[in-house]
Amino acid sequence: MSTKAPKGKGSRAKLREIFYENVGHVLNSDFLREVAGTSEWGRRLRELRNEEGMNIVTHNDRSDLKPGEYLLVDIKPLPFFDRSISKETRAFVLDRNGFTCQMCGAAAGEPHPYDQGRKTRLHIGHIIDKSMGGSDEPSNLRAICSICNEGASNLTLNRPQAIKLLAQVRRAPTSDQLDVLKWIVEKFPLQAAGVLKKFD
Ligand SMILES: [Zn+2]
């Protein structure tokens, strides 16, 4: 990894380039300041994220990152920045989905169930990916949080809390709920009998 950036480039371009060269690798603030060559590097970084939709995450987004650490998850821009989806469509889909992540149930702006230190940010995602022929029609769009978008919800080391587990079960199809019921009854037959007595 080289700290030398071509001369004559703006600090934003230098930062963009260094992130693209280091996809999936953690870069720290001292290094980024040096690359950008300006004390305004933080502002340039926010522009990359907010104006260009670069999927750069920090400790606010991922519990495995420390303050001052930055990581470009992948070169695909955040779904929110998919230019083919209009502002109106985005607003419509977010509203239809109740500002709730359609994968994990997290609500926009609230602490994320998988990572309480992180506020839930919602994006618009495709149900059937565009690469698989999915359209930009609202029927193929859904609200999805940045954690689910990164696929990080599967990687979390935290055990799900009961309330989150219940939320997952409630959202599952009946056949899956019955599978869960069967598994629990087999695991806790005495307790299950006790619960059933209430219905006598
Ligand atoms: Zn989610």
Side-chain angles (χ1 to χ4, degrees):
M1 173 161 82
S2 162
T3 61
K4 279 183 209 135
K7 279 206 166 74
K9 275 196 183 180
S11 50
R12 179 157 148 184
K14 291 177 191 167
L15 285 171
R16 187 191 303 114
E17 188 170 286
I18 208 73
F19 273 107
Y20 279 138
E21 283 172 8
N22 291 280
V23 176
H25 296 285
V26 173
L27 303 177
N28 67 49
S29 48
D30 289 338
F31 174 69
L32 293 172
R33 186 183 301 113
E34 196 180 327
V35 168
T38 168
S39 57
E40 292 282 275
W41 67 276
R43 187 189 298 256
R44 300 289 92 81
L45 202 140
R46 281 194 295 279
E47 289 169 358
L48 290 174
R49 187 166 161 161
N50 297 335
E51 293 175 19
E52 300 186 17
M54 281 179 75
N55 195 1
I56 299 167
V57 295
T58 71
H59 72 286
N60 287 321
D61 305 300
R62 292 241 308 237
S63 51
D64 57 337
L65 294 174
K66 296 185 198 70
E69 291 186 337
Y70 299 83
L71 182 141
L72 177 61
V73 177
D74 63 43
I75 58 168
K76 232 175 84 179
L78 293 167
F80 181 79
F81 290 89
D82 192 332
R83 304 277 177 212
S84 53
I85 300 168
S86 71
K87 256 187 197 165
E88 291 74 21
T89 301
R90 275 201 286 268
F92 172 80
V93 172
L94 286 172
D95 186 59
R96 185 193 61 196
N97 289 159
F99 296 90
T100 302
C101 173
Q102 298 302 294
M103 282 184 82
C104 71
E110 290 182 5
H112 195 278
Y114 296 117
D115 188 344
Q116 294 287 322
R118 177 173 171 178
K119 275 199 177 145
T120 302
R121 256 198 293 240
L122 292 181
H123 309 286
I124 302 297
H126 289 85
I127 295 166
I128 298 169
D129 201 79
K130 284 182 89 166
S131 64
M132 304 293 285
S135 78
D136 288 335
E137 293 301 308
S139 59
N140 189 45
L141 299 173
R142 62 179 172 175
I144 181 168
C145 75
S146 39
I147 288 187
C148 289
N149 185 41
E150 288 155 23
S153 54
N154 296 329
L155 304 175
T156 183
L157 297 175
N158 301 334
R159 281 184 196 209
Q161 295 164 356
I163 190 165
K164 274 71 190 190
L165 261 180
L166 283 171
Q168 298 271 23
V169 172
R170 282 192 199 104
R171 294 174 68 246
T174 304
S175 60
D176 288 355
Q177 292 178 342
L178 290 171
D179 283 345
V180 172
L181 173 69
K182 185 164 169 276
W183 181 79
I184 290 179
V185 168
E186 282 170 2
K187 180 159 185 183
F188 301 105
L190 293 176
Q191 290 89 335
V195 172
L196 284 174
K197 264 189 197 154
K198 287 186 199 162
F199 296 103
D200 282 349

